[in-house]
Amino acid sequence: MNLKKDRTLRLILGDQLNIHHSWFGSVDDAVTYVLMEIKSETDYATHHIQKVAGIFAAMRAFAATLKELNHQVIYLHLSDKHNAQQFDLNIAYLMQQHAFTHFEYQEPDEYRVDEHLKAFVQHASFSYKAYDSEHFYTSRNELGNFFKGKKTFLLESFYRYMRKKHHVLMINDTEPLHGQWNFDHDNREKLPKDHKPVAPLLFSNKVSEIVEEIKNANVKTIGTIDANNFIWPVTRKQSLALLDFFNEHCLSLFGTFQDAMVPGEWSLYHSRLSFAMNIKLISPKEVIDSAIAAYEKNSAMIAFNQLEGFVRQIIGWREYMRGIYWLKMPEYAKLNYFEHNEKLPDWYWTGKTKMNCLKNAIQQSLQYAYAHHIQRLMITGNFALLAGVHPDEVDAWYLGIYIDAFEWVEITNTRGMSQFADGGIVGSKPYVSASAYIHKMSSYCSGCYYNKALKTGDKACPFNSLYWNFYDRHESKLAKNPRIGMMYNVWKRMSPQDKADILTQAEKYLKQINEL
Ligand code: FAD
Ligand code: DLZ
Ligand code: SF4
């Protein structure tokens, strides 16, 4: 019998700040936790400064909480002498230095880090164990098993399966509450001119020392930050406050204005909980349970369609994207269905474009490290797809700029839903639009240099000619798609001269894309 107890080192990644993980249920003298700020993570993409500072601030606060609970913690700062800036090298050093005999980690959400840690432990001289992160509703393989043998991966069927399995918004085991699974047709209005949305709850975290350290370590970042008033939640307490705020002030209009876009209004009725959830300060289950509780307490104010729309994003889309990621990686990261090869226009990094919709969405992203779903999908994503940008370039931008960007949810949304580079795994058709949709959902067009009504000429809205150019270029890949065929009928009915003029206009815009 081995009476000598293992001395264990447990790794906590920057997006594994789940204090309710079973690891932390009891204090054990033989266990030490390690969190590390490292260059492999700050440099795999050019991140927004708010993303790096936010993750570091949350990691530091989490380490402090663990210490308060009497856990033993090692915390590596970027500039620490023995920081080798990689997980494997740091762990190997600490194992030896502190004579640990056993290593444990929670399965990373990102394929790259998962492979890195698996390769490391397989060749290590000590014993190890990998744990579930105890955050998601689904296991990594659950979606794959659910769709086994199927050619398509319909979100709607997965969503219904999740609702039934977890008994969320159900009358009984099979029937949805209020007789319908999806209430989307009641949602998605433009924001009326005289409607002032609720002011967002912002925090005032001090992160100036962290920002200084990031700069001193020469980490390349984008975007701006108010380091004395850092607005994002970095603790569980702040995350819960944001959740309460959402339930009280936003949920009642969440679905109604989910797709609306207005210059100057960056958060509208969105929850802005993605960062807190993705770094696991709060769990999807507690977000959903608390939204349902708010609805039950106040169903006079909160209509069911608002709640159902919100629940679907989390128990549906969020789990679905993670499932697709683990089913399709690593091949997914190479998919380029349209064989697009262009570079991302320079102004994606500055917001300096005359196109008002893109200017607003990009400048807002640089200022807050946030844009809501439709800004990401139908403004920046839409344009990148119409412009034929290589999905690698698009992925790199999305992975860097948003505070909530982690590959498992970023790549499936970007390469999949937004760029259709997966040829239809995630979406059944490409999300492209001309100016009509943007005008329908936003008030960007009225303040724009370009004219939304024109397809050709110097002031023609670029979305209009690029839209038809996209369909024309990809006819062989799209014409048979039953959801798109109609657009080809419209295109075919245009006169040859009109078509030629539109394509010439698109070509001109594509050539001078950095000047648009
Ligand atoms: P809300 O509008 O309040 O929605 C509530 C929650 O639902 C979100 O916090 C999020 O957890 C979940 N959710 C909503 N839509 C999706 C979706 N399509 N996929 C997964 N979860 C969803 N989300 C990320 O968390 N990280 C990303 O890196 C990311 N990249 C994206 C890239 C593109 C091109 C697109 C189109 C979408 C991306 N999304 C991403 C999904 C979505 O835009 C964000 O989750 C949402 O905007 C976050 O803001 P919120 O918390 O205010 O969301
Ligand atoms: C995103 C990020 C950044 C910028 N920095 C760190 C870090 O220094 N240390 C760390 O443990 N995690 C960081 N992260 C989050 C990781 O990239 C994330 O844990 C992996 O991608 C797994 O999802
Ligand atoms: Fe965007 Fe075109 Fe509208 Fe300008 S006119 S805001 S470019 S859709």
Side-chain angles (χ1 to χ4, degrees), residues 354-358 379 434-436 438-439 442-453 459-464:
K354 297 193 283 297
M355 289 181 278
N356 204 30
C357 50
L358 280 150
I379 306 292
S435 62
I438 297 174
H439 179 58
S442 81
S443 50
Y444 291 142
C445 297
S446 57
C448 187
Y449 167 89
Y450 294 103
N451 185 333
K452 68 174 180 352
K459 290 257 177 148
C461 166
F463 279 89
N464 294 337

Side-chain angles (χ1 to χ4, degrees), residues 12-15 36-38 41-42 44 47 51-52 55-56 59 87 108-110 112-113 406:
I12 302 170
L13 298 176
D15 60 351
M36 42 182 96
E37 297 171 2
I38 51 178
E41 302 313 293
T42 58
Y44 71 80
H47 299 287
K51 181 178 174 192
V52 186
I55 289 172
F56 284 10
M59 286 170 69
F87 290 120
D109 285 339
E110 194 180 333
R112 172 186 62 91
V113 182
F406 296 88

